[in-house]
Amino acid sequence: MNGDHQGLALTLFSVFVVVALAISTWFGRERQGTPEEFYAGGRLFSPMENGFAIAGDYMSAASFLGISGLIALYGYDGMLYSVGFLVAWLVVLFLVAELVRNCGRFTLADVLAARLRERPVRIAAGASSVVVSVLYLVAQMVGAGSLVALLLGGTDGRARGWTVVVVGALMVVYVTVGGMRATTWIQIVKAVLLMGGTATLTVLVLVRFHGDVSALLGTAADRSGHGRAFLAPGLRYGHDLTSRLDFISLGLALVLGTAGLPHILSRFSTVPTARAARRSVVWSIGLIGGFYLMTIVLGFGAAAVLGSDAVRASSAAGNTAVPLLALDLGGGAGSTGGTILFAVVAAIAFATILAVVAGVTLASSASVAHDLYGTLRRRGGRAPRDEVTVARAAAAGTGVVAIGLGLLAQNLNVAFLVGLAFAVAASANLPVLLYSLFWHRFTTRGAVWSVYGGLVPAVVLVLFSPVVSGAPDAVFPGLDFRLFPLENPGLVSVPLGFLAGWAGTVTSRQGADAAAHAESEVRSLTGAGAA
């Protein structure tokens, strides 16, 4: 990219970073000393504000950069990511939103502790939440690296590495200084910017083809190098039985994983009532639905305007398809319009990454401080301010881990990486959450077995999958210790999580606490006694 692109985009990057730091500093001046203020923003957000924040939390770099890139490379099969991410919100709306708001306080472990023995379930759920959050953060780091590498020349590995470090440092600052209030407003601003930028690009793509969607799809198929197969199932997941199973595994993870994501569950605690939580989800579904429809247009638009080969040449994983599309739609390389549109889109994508990493980091630090540290230190007692201090330190530790893993995974597609996080969430968090809310016989042993029975297989299967070794685009392409053929472990690990929870419950010597279950059931359905 030429100097105009670099200068303008870096200027816009800097503007958003400064605005976000100003928001964090402003809210950091307010009282952030209690867990309720730091983790939940005092529960003062309206349903509309929280709905925009949820959408901002969910519409990540995986959505804006990764999904569009996958569609540009694989057509119909890439579009399935958009469908899976959207359909998942029906599970959230109908099964968990209100109940989690009534039963929980800040984290998933709070929901479990309402009816089960506190210490073991908090340790298990806290560990699982940290793993899911770190995996999700790695995807955002990879997206940031790809974006800035494109800005500075397309293949600059050093630029990618430094970008990962800078993004990690910024997310720690946002969380430690501003807490949930600042993070929420950063996400609201980012959601507005992202929707506006995506809508603008969508309109420009449709104008390029005179509103003829058929012509758009036909041109995309012609320039994809695959012909009409580009518009049919099977280009990525239809080669053989293994790839078909991989597709089923991916779909299962996407549809079930959202309801187990720690940073999504924590957002339900920022509104005053369960009704407000439900209305927040309705707002977010409207925003997210519109956004994913537009990513489909952008993905096929990138294939039609640029060609799949050009997208692949810039980034083998397709992560730079949208910025390159913006450059062409604005008038091409060297044009004023192309420079401006490219810079704006790149800045919006960078803003997307910063906002999401702040939300995920806050959820991870809450799990470390509120669940792990709080449980282990409970016998000695702890002050609320002590817990908040630990949460701030945990944010820094999470940032360091995410930076290290982000540097290793720079060649993977960000939507695919998020799919792995969804698989772990669907395997470890969702089974224990549903059992706790709906099964009256569920026991503490069942909860612990369910979490570890889903978490451990999911992580182990990923480590021994083609994602890590044995493939040209793996984390370690020069090594081959793959034992599991699927790229996404959900098909195996999700059933194992449910099975482990059932096995732990039926073999438990200590039966379920009927009184605690009755109390949590009344609380979840009516909100009586909710925090």
mmCIF file of all heavy atoms in Angstrom, residues 252-297:
data_model
loop_
_atom_site.group_PDB
_atom_site.id
_atom_site.type_symbol
_atom_site.label_atom_id
_atom_site.label_comp_id
_atom_site.label_asym_id
_atom_site.label_seq_id
_atom_site.Cartn_x
_atom_site.Cartn_y
_atom_site.Cartn_z
ATOM 1 N N LEU A 252 -22.301 -27.729 14.540
ATOM 2 C CA LEU A 252 -22.679 -28.006 15.927
ATOM 3 C C LEU A 252 -22.012 -27.020 16.879
ATOM 4 O O LEU A 252 -22.646 -26.489 17.805
ATOM 5 C CB LEU A 252 -22.278 -29.442 16.281
ATOM 6 C CG LEU A 252 -22.770 -30.003 17.611
ATOM 7 C CD1 LEU A 252 -24.286 -30.147 17.594
ATOM 8 C CD2 LEU A 252 -22.121 -31.364 17.873
ATOM 9 N N ALA A 253 -20.736 -26.747 16.647
ATOM 10 C CA ALA A 253 -19.999 -25.820 17.511
ATOM 11 C C ALA A 253 -20.547 -24.400 17.389
ATOM 12 O O ALA A 253 -20.723 -23.705 18.395
ATOM 13 C CB ALA A 253 -18.516 -25.850 17.163
ATOM 14 N N LEU A 254 -20.829 -23.953 16.171
ATOM 15 C CA LEU A 254 -21.295 -22.581 15.976
ATOM 16 C C LEU A 254 -22.669 -22.362 16.590
ATOM 17 O O LEU A 254 -22.927 -21.340 17.236
ATOM 18 C CB LEU A 254 -21.333 -22.242 14.482
ATOM 19 C CG LEU A 254 -19.989 -22.218 13.748
ATOM 20 C CD1 LEU A 254 -20.196 -21.817 12.295
ATOM 21 C CD2 LEU A 254 -19.007 -21.269 14.420
ATOM 22 N N VAL A 255 -23.579 -23.303 16.380
ATOM 23 C CA VAL A 255 -24.949 -23.127 16.858
ATOM 24 C C VAL A 255 -25.034 -23.205 18.377
ATOM 25 O O VAL A 255 -25.790 -22.466 19.019
ATOM 26 C CB VAL A 255 -25.877 -24.169 16.204
ATOM 27 C CG1 VAL A 255 -27.276 -24.138 16.834
ATOM 28 C CG2 VAL A 255 -25.984 -23.908 14.705
ATOM 29 N N LEU A 256 -24.242 -24.091 18.987
ATOM 30 C CA LEU A 256 -24.326 -24.286 20.435
ATOM 31 C C LEU A 256 -23.309 -23.463 21.217
ATOM 32 O O LEU A 256 -23.483 -23.248 22.422
ATOM 33 C CB LEU A 256 -24.121 -25.764 20.770
ATOM 34 C CG LEU A 256 -25.151 -26.745 20.185
ATOM 35 C CD1 LEU A 256 -24.827 -28.161 20.628
ATOM 36 C CD2 LEU A 256 -26.567 -26.367 20.617
ATOM 37 N N GLY A 257 -22.260 -22.994 20.550
ATOM 38 C CA GLY A 257 -21.177 -22.351 21.291
ATOM 39 C C GLY A 257 -21.492 -20.981 21.831
ATOM 40 O O GLY A 257 -20.997 -20.591 22.895
ATOM 41 N N THR A 258 -22.325 -20.204 21.128
ATOM 42 C CA THR A 258 -22.600 -18.831 21.561
ATOM 43 C C THR A 258 -23.148 -18.784 22.981
ATOM 44 O O THR A 258 -22.773 -17.920 23.782
ATOM 45 C CB THR A 258 -23.600 -18.165 20.593
ATOM 46 O OG1 THR A 258 -23.021 -18.129 19.292
ATOM 47 C CG2 THR A 258 -23.927 -16.752 21.030
ATOM 48 N N ALA A 259 -24.049 -19.707 23.302
ATOM 49 C CA ALA A 259 -24.676 -19.713 24.631
ATOM 50 C C ALA A 259 -23.694 -20.082 25.735
ATOM 51 O O ALA A 259 -24.030 -19.960 26.922
ATOM 52 C CB ALA A 259 -25.851 -20.690 24.653
ATOM 53 N N GLY A 260 -22.476 -20.512 25.373
ATOM 54 C CA GLY A 260 -21.473 -20.838 26.384
ATOM 55 C C GLY A 260 -20.298 -19.893 26.415
ATOM 56 O O GLY A 260 -19.345 -20.119 27.171
ATOM 57 N N LEU A 261 -20.342 -18.822 25.607
ATOM 58 C CA LEU A 261 -19.222 -17.877 25.585
ATOM 59 C C LEU A 261 -19.246 -17.007 26.842
ATOM 60 O O LEU A 261 -20.243 -16.331 27.123
ATOM 61 C CB LEU A 261 -19.306 -16.990 24.345
ATOM 62 C CG LEU A 261 -19.075 -17.681 22.997
ATOM 63 C CD1 LEU A 261 -19.298 -16.696 21.851
ATOM 64 C CD2 LEU A 261 -17.668 -18.269 22.918
ATOM 65 N N PRO A 262 -18.158 -16.958 27.593
ATOM 66 C CA PRO A 262 -18.157 -16.190 28.852
ATOM 67 C C PRO A 262 -18.458 -14.714 28.664
ATOM 68 O O PRO A 262 -19.188 -14.112 29.477
ATOM 69 C CB PRO A 262 -16.733 -16.408 29.396
ATOM 70 C CG PRO A 262 -16.271 -17.663 28.748
ATOM 71 C CD PRO A 262 -16.906 -17.697 27.397
ATOM 72 N N HIS A 263 -17.924 -14.080 27.607
ATOM 73 C CA HIS A 263 -18.126 -12.642 27.456
ATOM 74 C C HIS A 263 -19.546 -12.314 27.016
ATOM 75 O O HIS A 263 -20.009 -11.185 27.231
ATOM 76 C CB HIS A 263 -17.104 -12.050 26.473
ATOM 77 C CG HIS A 263 -17.212 -12.537 25.075
ATOM 78 N ND1 HIS A 263 -16.881 -13.812 24.702
ATOM 79 C CD2 HIS A 263 -17.604 -11.910 23.938
ATOM 80 C CE1 HIS A 263 -17.061 -13.962 23.398
ATOM 81 N NE2 HIS A 263 -17.499 -12.825 22.913
ATOM 82 N N ILE A 264 -20.266 -13.270 26.426
ATOM 83 C CA ILE A 264 -21.676 -13.058 26.107
ATOM 84 C C ILE A 264 -22.530 -13.260 27.357
ATOM 85 O O ILE A 264 -23.437 -12.463 27.650
ATOM 86 C CB ILE A 264 -22.129 -14.010 24.985
ATOM 87 C CG1 ILE A 264 -21.345 -13.719 23.699
ATOM 88 C CG2 ILE A 264 -23.626 -13.896 24.750
ATOM 89 C CD1 ILE A 264 -21.549 -12.327 23.138
ATOM 90 N N LEU A 265 -22.262 -14.302 28.121
ATOM 91 C CA LEU A 265 -23.022 -14.548 29.350
ATOM 92 C C LEU A 265 -22.863 -13.398 30.341
ATOM 93 O O LEU A 265 -23.822 -13.026 31.028
ATOM 94 C CB LEU A 265 -22.562 -15.863 29.991
ATOM 95 C CG LEU A 265 -22.836 -17.148 29.202
ATOM 96 C CD1 LEU A 265 -22.219 -18.346 29.906
ATOM 97 C CD2 LEU A 265 -24.332 -17.348 29.015
ATOM 98 N N SER A 266 -21.671 -12.816 30.407
ATOM 99 C CA SER A 266 -21.446 -11.728 31.370
ATOM 100 C C SER A 266 -22.242 -10.478 31.022
ATOM 101 O O SER A 266 -22.543 -9.663 31.889
ATOM 102 C CB SER A 266 -19.947 -11.400 31.446
ATOM 103 O OG SER A 266 -19.491 -10.822 30.233
ATOM 104 N N ARG A 267 -22.608 -10.319 29.756
ATOM 105 C CA ARG A 267 -23.351 -9.121 29.351
ATOM 106 C C ARG A 267 -24.765 -9.110 29.925
ATOM 107 O O ARG A 267 -25.367 -8.046 30.080
ATOM 108 C CB ARG A 267 -23.408 -9.029 27.822
ATOM 109 C CG ARG A 267 -22.065 -8.729 27.185
ATOM 110 C CD ARG A 267 -22.153 -7.484 26.317
ATOM 111 N NE ARG A 267 -22.611 -6.340 27.042
ATOM 112 C CZ ARG A 267 -21.831 -5.432 27.627
ATOM 113 N NH1 ARG A 267 -20.532 -5.557 27.590
ATOM 114 N NH2 ARG A 267 -22.356 -4.403 28.251
ATOM 115 N N PHE A 268 -25.312 -10.278 30.245
ATOM 116 C CA PHE A 268 -26.664 -10.309 30.808
ATOM 117 C C PHE A 268 -26.720 -9.746 32.217
ATOM 118 O O PHE A 268 -27.797 -9.429 32.720
ATOM 119 C CB PHE A 268 -27.212 -11.745 30.790
ATOM 120 C CG PHE A 268 -27.289 -12.335 29.417
ATOM 121 C CD1 PHE A 268 -26.900 -13.643 29.187
ATOM 122 C CD2 PHE A 268 -27.740 -11.586 28.344
ATOM 123 C CE1 PHE A 268 -26.956 -14.190 27.913
ATOM 124 C CE2 PHE A 268 -27.796 -12.122 27.072
ATOM 125 C CZ PHE A 268 -27.406 -13.428 26.857
ATOM 126 N N SER A 269 -25.569 -9.634 32.862
ATOM 127 C CA SER A 269 -25.537 -9.095 34.226
ATOM 128 C C SER A 269 -25.455 -7.578 34.255
ATOM 129 O O SER A 269 -25.488 -6.980 35.320
ATOM 130 C CB SER A 269 -24.352 -9.684 35.001
ATOM 131 O OG SER A 269 -23.128 -9.231 34.456
ATOM 132 N N THR A 270 -25.350 -6.941 33.096
ATOM 133 C CA THR A 270 -25.193 -5.482 33.059
ATOM 134 C C THR A 270 -26.521 -4.741 32.970
ATOM 135 O O THR A 270 -26.534 -3.518 32.927
ATOM 136 C CB THR A 270 -24.313 -5.070 31.866
ATOM 137 O OG1 THR A 270 -24.962 -5.439 30.646
ATOM 138 C CG2 THR A 270 -22.951 -5.747 31.933
ATOM 139 N N VAL A 271 -27.634 -5.467 32.909
ATOM 140 C CA VAL A 271 -28.965 -4.847 32.870
ATOM 141 C C VAL A 271 -29.688 -5.149 34.177
ATOM 142 O O VAL A 271 -29.372 -6.121 34.865
ATOM 143 C CB VAL A 271 -29.783 -5.357 31.672
ATOM 144 C CG1 VAL A 271 -29.210 -4.834 30.367
ATOM 145 C CG2 VAL A 271 -29.836 -6.877 31.643
ATOM 146 N N PRO A 272 -30.685 -4.338 34.543
ATOM 147 C CA PRO A 272 -31.280 -4.474 35.874
ATOM 148 C C PRO A 272 -32.216 -5.660 36.050
ATOM 149 O O PRO A 272 -32.400 -6.127 37.172
ATOM 150 C CB PRO A 272 -32.045 -3.149 36.057
ATOM 151 C CG PRO A 272 -32.301 -2.657 34.666
ATOM 152 C CD PRO A 272 -31.134 -3.109 33.854
ATOM 153 N N THR A 273 -32.860 -6.157 34.986
ATOM 154 C CA THR A 273 -33.857 -7.219 35.124
ATOM 155 C C THR A 273 -33.700 -8.262 34.028
ATOM 156 O O THR A 273 -33.040 -8.034 33.011
ATOM 157 C CB THR A 273 -35.281 -6.648 35.039
ATOM 158 O OG1 THR A 273 -35.494 -6.105 33.725
ATOM 159 C CG2 THR A 273 -35.509 -5.560 36.089
ATOM 160 N N ALA A 274 -34.390 -9.411 34.236
ATOM 161 C CA ALA A 274 -34.388 -10.457 33.224
ATOM 162 C C ALA A 274 -35.125 -10.004 31.966
ATOM 163 O O ALA A 274 -34.749 -10.360 30.845
ATOM 164 C CB ALA A 274 -35.034 -11.729 33.776
ATOM 165 N N ARG A 275 -36.179 -9.247 32.137
ATOM 166 C CA ARG A 275 -36.906 -8.731 30.970
ATOM 167 C C ARG A 275 -35.988 -7.852 30.122
ATOM 168 O O ARG A 275 -36.013 -7.906 28.885
ATOM 169 C CB ARG A 275 -38.130 -7.940 31.433
ATOM 170 C CG ARG A 275 -38.988 -7.407 30.288
ATOM 171 C CD ARG A 275 -40.298 -6.841 30.838
ATOM 172 N NE ARG A 275 -41.138 -6.338 29.749
ATOM 173 C CZ ARG A 275 -41.143 -5.073 29.328
ATOM 174 N NH1 ARG A 275 -40.334 -4.185 29.908
ATOM 175 N NH2 ARG A 275 -41.933 -4.698 28.337
ATOM 176 N N ALA A 276 -35.188 -7.052 30.797
ATOM 177 C CA ALA A 276 -34.233 -6.212 30.067
ATOM 178 C C ALA A 276 -33.198 -7.070 29.350
ATOM 179 O O ALA A 276 -32.756 -6.727 28.243
ATOM 180 C CB ALA A 276 -33.543 -5.245 31.026
ATOM 181 N N ALA A 277 -32.799 -8.200 29.946
ATOM 182 C CA ALA A 277 -31.849 -9.105 29.296
ATOM 183 C C ALA A 277 -32.443 -9.674 28.013
ATOM 184 O O ALA A 277 -31.777 -9.753 26.977
ATOM 185 C CB ALA A 277 -31.453 -10.236 30.248
ATOM 186 N N ARG A 278 -33.725 -10.083 28.094
ATOM 187 C CA ARG A 278 -34.377 -10.626 26.898
ATOM 188 C C ARG A 278 -34.490 -9.564 25.813
ATOM 189 O O ARG A 278 -34.234 -9.822 24.632
ATOM 190 C CB ARG A 278 -35.764 -11.158 27.245
ATOM 191 C CG ARG A 278 -36.474 -11.818 26.070
ATOM 192 C CD ARG A 278 -37.854 -12.348 26.440
ATOM 193 N NE ARG A 278 -38.786 -11.272 26.725
ATOM 194 C CZ ARG A 278 -39.274 -10.975 27.917
ATOM 195 N NH1 ARG A 278 -38.877 -11.685 28.975
ATOM 196 N NH2 ARG A 278 -40.119 -9.988 28.096
ATOM 197 N N ARG A 279 -34.866 -8.369 26.188
ATOM 198 C CA ARG A 279 -34.974 -7.291 25.199
ATOM 199 C C ARG A 279 -33.611 -6.931 24.615
ATOM 200 O O ARG A 279 -33.507 -6.557 23.443
ATOM 201 C CB ARG A 279 -35.622 -6.063 25.852
ATOM 202 C CG ARG A 279 -37.103 -6.258 26.202
ATOM 203 C CD ARG A 279 -37.651 -5.083 26.964
ATOM 204 N NE ARG A 279 -37.570 -3.854 26.187
ATOM 205 C CZ ARG A 279 -37.694 -2.634 26.707
ATOM 206 N NH1 ARG A 279 -37.907 -2.487 28.026
ATOM 207 N NH2 ARG A 279 -37.625 -1.573 25.941
ATOM 208 N N SER A 280 -32.570 -7.063 25.414
ATOM 209 C CA SER A 280 -31.213 -6.833 24.902
ATOM 210 C C SER A 280 -30.894 -7.816 23.785
ATOM 211 O O SER A 280 -30.323 -7.443 22.749
ATOM 212 C CB SER A 280 -30.180 -6.996 26.019
ATOM 213 O OG SER A 280 -30.346 -6.042 27.028
ATOM 214 N N VAL A 281 -31.268 -9.081 23.999
ATOM 215 C CA VAL A 281 -30.994 -10.100 22.991
ATOM 216 C C VAL A 281 -31.781 -9.822 21.715
ATOM 217 O O VAL A 281 -31.285 -10.018 20.607
ATOM 218 C CB VAL A 281 -31.312 -11.507 23.545
ATOM 219 C CG1 VAL A 281 -31.160 -12.564 22.456
ATOM 220 C CG2 VAL A 281 -30.408 -11.828 24.722
ATOM 221 N N VAL A 282 -33.022 -9.348 21.854
ATOM 222 C CA VAL A 282 -33.825 -9.022 20.679
ATOM 223 C C VAL A 282 -33.148 -7.906 19.873
ATOM 224 O O VAL A 282 -33.049 -7.973 18.640
ATOM 225 C CB VAL A 282 -35.249 -8.615 21.087
ATOM 226 C CG1 VAL A 282 -36.036 -8.097 19.883
ATOM 227 C CG2 VAL A 282 -35.977 -9.801 21.712
ATOM 228 N N TRP A 283 -32.680 -6.867 20.563
ATOM 229 C CA TRP A 283 -31.939 -5.795 19.885
ATOM 230 C C TRP A 283 -30.706 -6.358 19.175
ATOM 231 O O TRP A 283 -30.428 -6.024 18.010
ATOM 232 C CB TRP A 283 -31.506 -4.743 20.896
ATOM 233 C CG TRP A 283 -32.506 -3.651 21.126
ATOM 234 C CD1 TRP A 283 -33.383 -3.545 22.169
ATOM 235 C CD2 TRP A 283 -32.732 -2.504 20.297
ATOM 236 N NE1 TRP A 283 -34.136 -2.404 22.046
ATOM 237 C CE2 TRP A 283 -33.760 -1.732 20.920
ATOM 238 C CE3 TRP A 283 -32.161 -2.038 19.118
ATOM 239 C CZ2 TRP A 283 -34.211 -0.545 20.374
ATOM 240 C CZ3 TRP A 283 -32.621 -0.853 18.570
ATOM 241 C CH2 TRP A 283 -33.634 -0.120 19.191
ATOM 242 N N SER A 284 -29.966 -7.196 19.873
ATOM 243 C CA SER A 284 -28.714 -7.709 19.299
ATOM 244 C C SER A 284 -28.992 -8.617 18.104
ATOM 245 O O SER A 284 -28.245 -8.588 17.115
ATOM 246 C CB SER A 284 -27.907 -8.459 20.359
ATOM 247 O OG SER A 284 -28.590 -9.600 20.829
ATOM 248 N N ILE A 285 -30.065 -9.421 18.149
ATOM 249 C CA ILE A 285 -30.386 -10.301 17.025
ATOM 250 C C ILE A 285 -30.698 -9.478 15.784
ATOM 251 O O ILE A 285 -30.278 -9.812 14.666
ATOM 252 C CB ILE A 285 -31.569 -11.231 17.377
ATOM 253 C CG1 ILE A 285 -31.113 -12.299 18.374
ATOM 254 C CG2 ILE A 285 -32.131 -11.887 16.124
ATOM 255 C CD1 ILE A 285 -32.225 -13.213 18.834
ATOM 256 N N GLY A 286 -31.429 -8.382 15.949
ATOM 257 C CA GLY A 286 -31.723 -7.527 14.808
ATOM 258 C C GLY A 286 -30.461 -6.962 14.171
ATOM 259 O O GLY A 286 -30.294 -6.993 12.944
ATOM 260 N N LEU A 287 -29.562 -6.468 15.013
ATOM 261 C CA LEU A 287 -28.307 -5.907 14.500
ATOM 262 C C LEU A 287 -27.418 -6.981 13.883
ATOM 263 O O LEU A 287 -26.878 -6.813 12.781
ATOM 264 C CB LEU A 287 -27.562 -5.204 15.634
ATOM 265 C CG LEU A 287 -28.232 -3.953 16.214
ATOM 266 C CD1 LEU A 287 -27.560 -3.542 17.517
ATOM 267 C CD2 LEU A 287 -28.175 -2.813 15.203
ATOM 268 N N ILE A 288 -27.278 -8.090 14.587
ATOM 269 C CA ILE A 288 -26.395 -9.159 14.116
ATOM 270 C C ILE A 288 -26.942 -9.790 12.840
ATOM 271 O O ILE A 288 -26.189 -10.100 11.907
ATOM 272 C CB ILE A 288 -26.210 -10.208 15.227
ATOM 273 C CG1 ILE A 288 -25.414 -9.599 16.394
ATOM 274 C CG2 ILE A 288 -25.503 -11.451 14.704
ATOM 275 C CD1 ILE A 288 -25.436 -10.437 17.652
ATOM 276 N N GLY A 289 -28.270 -9.982 12.772
ATOM 277 C CA GLY A 289 -28.871 -10.553 11.574
ATOM 278 C C GLY A 289 -28.607 -9.701 10.345
ATOM 279 O O GLY A 289 -28.210 -10.206 9.287
ATOM 280 N N GLY A 290 -28.818 -8.389 10.479
ATOM 281 C CA GLY A 290 -28.539 -7.498 9.359
ATOM 282 C C GLY A 290 -27.078 -7.521 8.965
ATOM 283 O O GLY A 290 -26.730 -7.518 7.774
ATOM 284 N N PHE A 291 -26.219 -7.578 9.953
ATOM 285 C CA PHE A 291 -24.783 -7.582 9.676
ATOM 286 C C PHE A 291 -24.351 -8.826 8.905
ATOM 287 O O PHE A 291 -23.619 -8.741 7.915
ATOM 288 C CB PHE A 291 -24.009 -7.479 10.992
ATOM 289 C CG PHE A 291 -22.527 -7.641 10.848
ATOM 290 C CD1 PHE A 291 -21.747 -6.613 10.342
ATOM 291 C CD2 PHE A 291 -21.917 -8.831 11.189
ATOM 292 C CE1 PHE A 291 -20.380 -6.764 10.197
ATOM 293 C CE2 PHE A 291 -20.547 -8.992 11.054
ATOM 294 C CZ PHE A 291 -19.785 -7.954 10.553
ATOM 295 N N TYR A 292 -24.811 -10.007 9.343
ATOM 296 C CA TYR A 292 -24.387 -11.231 8.670
ATOM 297 C C TYR A 292 -24.954 -11.351 7.265
ATOM 298 O O TYR A 292 -24.322 -11.953 6.383
ATOM 299 C CB TYR A 292 -24.731 -12.459 9.519
ATOM 300 C CG TYR A 292 -23.764 -12.658 10.642
ATOM 301 C CD1 TYR A 292 -24.180 -12.650 11.968
ATOM 302 C CD2 TYR A 292 -22.416 -12.842 10.388
ATOM 303 C CE1 TYR A 292 -23.280 -12.811 13.005
ATOM 304 C CE2 TYR A 292 -21.500 -13.000 11.410
ATOM 305 C CZ TYR A 292 -21.943 -12.989 12.716
ATOM 306 O OH TYR A 292 -21.034 -13.139 13.735
ATOM 307 N N LEU A 293 -26.132 -10.807 7.029
ATOM 308 C CA LEU A 293 -26.639 -10.753 5.654
ATOM 309 C C LEU A 293 -25.710 -9.918 4.778
ATOM 310 O O LEU A 293 -25.447 -10.257 3.619
ATOM 311 C CB LEU A 293 -28.057 -10.174 5.636
ATOM 312 C CG LEU A 293 -29.169 -11.074 6.184
ATOM 313 C CD1 LEU A 293 -30.491 -10.313 6.211
ATOM 314 C CD2 LEU A 293 -29.307 -12.342 5.348
ATOM 315 N N MET A 294 -25.200 -8.828 5.331
ATOM 316 C CA MET A 294 -24.304 -7.977 4.560
ATOM 317 C C MET A 294 -22.942 -8.633 4.341
ATOM 318 O O MET A 294 -22.307 -8.435 3.295
ATOM 319 C CB MET A 294 -24.147 -6.617 5.249
ATOM 320 C CG MET A 294 -25.422 -5.783 5.215
ATOM 321 S SD MET A 294 -25.229 -4.089 5.815
ATOM 322 C CE MET A 294 -25.049 -4.358 7.586
ATOM 323 N N THR A 295 -22.469 -9.432 5.298
ATOM 324 C CA THR A 295 -21.177 -10.112 5.081
ATOM 325 C C THR A 295 -21.256 -11.102 3.927
ATOM 326 O O THR A 295 -20.253 -11.341 3.240
ATOM 327 C CB THR A 295 -20.706 -10.857 6.350
ATOM 328 O OG1 THR A 295 -21.650 -11.866 6.707
ATOM 329 C CG2 THR A 295 -20.501 -9.900 7.510
ATOM 330 N N ILE A 296 -22.438 -11.670 3.696
ATOM 331 C CA ILE A 296 -22.602 -12.570 2.552
ATOM 332 C C ILE A 296 -22.406 -11.800 1.252
ATOM 333 O O ILE A 296 -21.707 -12.250 0.336
ATOM 334 C CB ILE A 296 -23.993 -13.238 2.596
ATOM 335 C CG1 ILE A 296 -24.100 -14.146 3.827
ATOM 336 C CG2 ILE A 296 -24.249 -14.035 1.326
ATOM 337 C CD1 ILE A 296 -25.488 -14.730 4.044
ATOM 338 N N VAL A 297 -23.007 -10.603 1.179
ATOM 339 C CA VAL A 297 -22.837 -9.768 -0.012
ATOM 340 C C VAL A 297 -21.367 -9.387 -0.184
ATOM 341 O O VAL A 297 -20.827 -9.416 -1.297
ATOM 342 C CB VAL A 297 -23.718 -8.508 0.083
ATOM 343 C CG1 VAL A 297 -23.477 -7.576 -1.107
ATOM 344 C CG2 VAL A 297 -25.187 -8.887 0.160
#
